């Protein structure tokens, strides 16, 4: 998937999202394998609620995909995440073509 945007604020939101080192680490953690927020939190040394927030942000932006899984043990419904392959192409001409608002 190639990321596209039509306005400067859309681009700024995406760059802000990707400009956070922890969010990039979360994205990297789910690049090859599906993982639960708990697994990501343990792997990266961050809290599970923070990992869940980052995962929801990535999912909302289309960079990650959440899948609900059922289990025989509590919690019975858990959500795992995986990265969605994407490409970001950014150059000055593209920035010039964007609308200001």
């Amino acid at each position: 998937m190639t990321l596209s945007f039509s306005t400067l604020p859309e681009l700024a939101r995406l760059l802000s999202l990707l400009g956070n080192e922890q969010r990039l680490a979360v994205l990297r953690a789910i690049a090859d394998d599906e993982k639960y927020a708990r697994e990501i939190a343990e792997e990266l040394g961050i809290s599970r609620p923070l990992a869940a927030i980052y995962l929801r942000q990535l999912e909302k932006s289309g960079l990650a995909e959440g899948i609900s899984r059922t289990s025989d043990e509590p919690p019975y419904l858990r959500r795992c995440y995986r990265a969605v392959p994407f490409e970001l192409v950014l150059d000055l001409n593209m920035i010039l073509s964007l609308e200001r608002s």
Side-chain angles (χ1 to χ4, degrees):
M1 162 179 77
T2 300
L3 299 175
S4 62
F5 12 82
S6 57
T7 66
L8 286 172
E10 289 174 357
L11 174 59
R13 278 191 294 278
L14 177 65
L15 293 177
S16 178
L17 180 76
L18 293 174
N20 179 286
E21 189 174 340
Q22 285 185 330
R23 277 192 290 260
L24 286 175
V26 168
L27 192 57
R28 184 178 180 181
I30 59 174
D32 293 326
D33 298 316
E34 293 180 352
K35 293 183 183 173
Y36 297 103
R38 178 190 51 78
E39 295 172 306
I40 295 165
E42 290 173 2
E43 182 179 321
L44 300 179
I46 60 176
S47 71
R48 192 202 54 74
L50 184 59
I53 289 168
Y54 288 158
L55 288 163
R56 280 193 303 273
Q57 291 171 336
L58 292 167
E59 185 176 23
K60 184 178 177 182
S61 70
L63 302 178
E65 178 180 53
I67 303 112
S68 295
R69 301 259 190 242
T70 57
S71 173
D72 294 335
E73 299 175 8
Y76 297 106
L77 184 62
R78 297 173 65 194
R79 197 155 175 83
C80 64
Y81 294 85
R82 67 176 170 217
V84 174
F86 69 91
E87 180 179 57
L88 175 62
V89 178
L90 181 63
D91 65 15
L92 188 55
N93 288 328
M94 194 276 299
I95 292 171
L96 290 170
S97 73
L98 298 177
E99 296 179 25
R100 291 192 68 157
S101 59

